[in-house]
């Protein structure tokens, strides 16, 4: 089997203010990195438009309406100090949702071994009724709810290795006892949540804060001791990944010191657990990562491992 790659040129039409780290050039850098011969084996698919029904699996209708109403016809508007919309943002956000749902379908049908969704805007900071942190909709959470409710799964694990806490996913999954949500993140750092004591309504949230200036070895120990055993014990039928690459040494927004090799190692370990629990079924979705070179090389390392393990 192969690895699917979901993206769409519409995701380049989500334009943020000049100097904003979550910029169009991120996807261009990723596309360049994945255009070399090594990645010819990817099954490339255009991200479809996500449905209102799927967005409402996680967000109330008022939130969707608020985002639709805020969408500008020209210029760039601000939802908060960090989060913006341009005329192309709404369609881009719909495609980020649709890609997650389609990737879940493809992986669960056995058409592909695993998938990477390279869309933007990202999603893990979007709370139930609030866009924030560059995110409009909870893309990965929507994929999880879709897998549970549409495909009748009983257990889905979400691993979030973005350097920022996935407060949105935590909020959306707080009372969802069919989801194990594991987040590693630098602490203290935006958005401020993600303490060990935040365990969710049914104890299915595992927060693993990492101290600033720690590196890959520290991360590897944390995953081997805590995160990976927790996922294995939960025995998920599908693993979703919020793949942010801003824990990289060169990232301008945070202070963890991971390398491309660390992202490759972590991807391999997540695949190990997926193979033990659920036939290797992994859907990974781009979140952060703001140094363009580090982002491109880290995504290439991540997708390279998904392809090796899926092939
Ligand atoms: Zn981040």
């Amino acid at each position: 089997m192969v690895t699917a790659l979901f993206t769409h040129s519409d995701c380049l039409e989500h334009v943020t203010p000049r100097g904003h780290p979550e910029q169009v050039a991120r996807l261009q850098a990723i596309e360049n990195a994945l255009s070399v011969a090594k990645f010819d084996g990817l099954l490339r698919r255009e991200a479809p438009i996500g449905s209102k029904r799927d967005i409402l699996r996680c967000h109330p209708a008022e939130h969707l309406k608020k985002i639709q109403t805020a969408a500008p016809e020209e210029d760039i508007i601000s939802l908060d100090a960090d989060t913006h919309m341009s005329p192309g943002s709404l369609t881009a956000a719909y495609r980020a949702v649709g890609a997650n749902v389609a990737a879940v379908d493809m992986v669960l049908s056995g058409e592909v071994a695993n998938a990477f969704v390279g869309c933007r805007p990202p999603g893990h900071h979007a709370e139930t009724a609030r866009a924030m942190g560059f995110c409009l909709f909870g893309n990965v959470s929507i994929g999880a709810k879709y897998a549970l409710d549409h495909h009748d799964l009983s257990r889905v694990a979400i691993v979030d290795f973005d350097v920022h806490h996935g407060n949105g996913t935590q909020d959306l999954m707080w009372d969802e006892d069919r989801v194990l949500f594991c987040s590693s993140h630098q602490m203290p750092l935006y958005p401020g949540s993600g303490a060990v004591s935040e365990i969710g309504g049914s104890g299915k949230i595992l927060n693993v804060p990492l101290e600033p200036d720690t590196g890959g070895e520290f991360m590897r120990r944390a995953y081997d001791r805590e995160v990976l055993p927790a996922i294995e014990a939960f025995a998920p039928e599908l693993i979703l990944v919020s793949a942010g690459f801003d824990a990289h040494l060169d990232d301008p927004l945070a202070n963890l010191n991971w390398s491309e090799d660390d992202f490759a190692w972590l991807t391999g370990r997540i695949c190990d657990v997926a193979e033990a629990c659920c036939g290797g079924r992994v859907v990974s979705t781009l979140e952060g990562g703001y140094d363009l070179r580090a982002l491109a090389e880290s995504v290439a390392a991540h997708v390279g491992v998904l392809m090796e393990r899926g092939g």
Side-chain angles (χ1 to χ4, degrees):
M1 283 203 291
V2 297
T3 296
L5 170 66
F6 282 85
T7 186
H8 199 285
S9 57
D10 282 351
C11 295
L12 302 171
E13 302 298 323
H14 167 53
V15 180
T16 51
R18 186 179 297 273
H20 196 288
E22 205 294 283
Q23 57 182 312
V24 171
R26 298 178 65 232
L27 272 198
Q28 293 165 328
I30 290 171
E31 185 54 45
N32 284 341
L34 299 182
S35 64
V36 300
K38 180 184 171 193
F39 297 103
D40 284 352
L42 285 169
L43 184 63
R44 291 167 188 266
R45 286 286 180 270
E46 297 227 307
I49 295 276
S51 71
K52 179 179 174 186
R53 184 173 173 203
D54 287 329
I55 292 169
L56 297 183
R57 293 180 192 280
C58 279
H59 300 283
E62 302 76 58
H63 177 70
L64 174 57
K65 188 80 190 161
K66 199 165 87 181
I67 300 295
Q68 288 171 328
T69 306
E73 286 182 17
E74 55 185 31
D75 299 332
I76 298 173
I77 60 102
S78 302
L79 297 172
D80 68 16
D82 305 312
T83 314
H84 306 273
M85 291 183 78
S86 68
S89 297
L90 193 57
T91 301
Y94 288 157
R95 292 207 184 274
V97 168
N100 271 277
V101 169
V104 165
D105 278 338
M106 273 185 105
V107 167
L108 289 181
S109 73
E111 192 178 346
V112 295
N114 52 39
F116 181 71
V117 175
C119 290
R120 51 184 288 280
H124 74 147
H125 293 306
E127 296 187 339
T128 306
R130 179 162 69 139
M132 63 179 275
F134 319 158
C135 303
L136 303 181
F137 303 123
N139 306 321
V140 172
S141 295
I142 291 168
K145 285 279 197 185
Y146 176 77
L148 293 164
D149 294 339
H150 180 82
H151 286 282
D152 272 335
L153 298 194
S154 305
R155 291 176 312 283
V156 174
I158 302 175
V159 187
D160 184 334
F161 61 73
D162 189 281
V163 79
H164 302 96
H165 179 236
N167 62 295
T169 309
Q170 173 166 297
D171 184 47
L172 291 164
M173 296 296 132
W174 189 263
D175 289 315
E176 177 52 82
D177 66 359
R178 299 171 296 173
V179 168
L180 176 72
F181 173 55
C182 304
S183 176
S184 65
H185 42 271
Q186 180 183 321
M187 184 170 248
L189 189 67
Y190 179 92
S193 53
V196 172
S197 57
E198 298 164 25
I199 62 168
S202 48
K204 295 286 198 324
I205 290 173
L206 175 63
N207 282 307
V208 181
L210 304 171
E211 287 175 31
D213 300 318
T214 57
E217 272 186 36
F218 194 84
M219 175 277 286
R220 292 181 192 212
R221 275 200 303 274
Y223 271 83
D224 273 339
R225 283 181 190 167
E226 282 190 79
V227 180
L228 299 165
I231 300 170
E232 225 166 324
F234 182 65
E237 298 160 286
L238 172 69
I239 298 180
L240 306 182
V241 181
S242 265
F245 299 90
D246 39 11
H248 192 283
L249 172 68
D250 293 335
D251 197 274
L253 296 197
N255 312 93
L256 293 188
N257 299 326
W258 302 7
S259 66
E260 290 86 355
D261 283 348
D262 293 318
F263 288 108
W265 177 88
L266 180 51
T267 309
R269 294 292 288 121
I270 292 169
C271 288
D272 288 342
V273 176
E275 280 161 22
C277 295
C278 53
R281 300 195 292 206
V282 173
V283 174
S284 176
T285 297
L286 178 67
E287 300 283 2
Y290 304 101
D291 178 86
L292 296 178
R293 185 204 62 80
L295 172 65
E297 291 180 8
S298 301
V299 169
H302 178 65
V303 174
V305 173
L306 290 177
M307 290 176 76
E308 276 167 36
R309 302 300 289 266

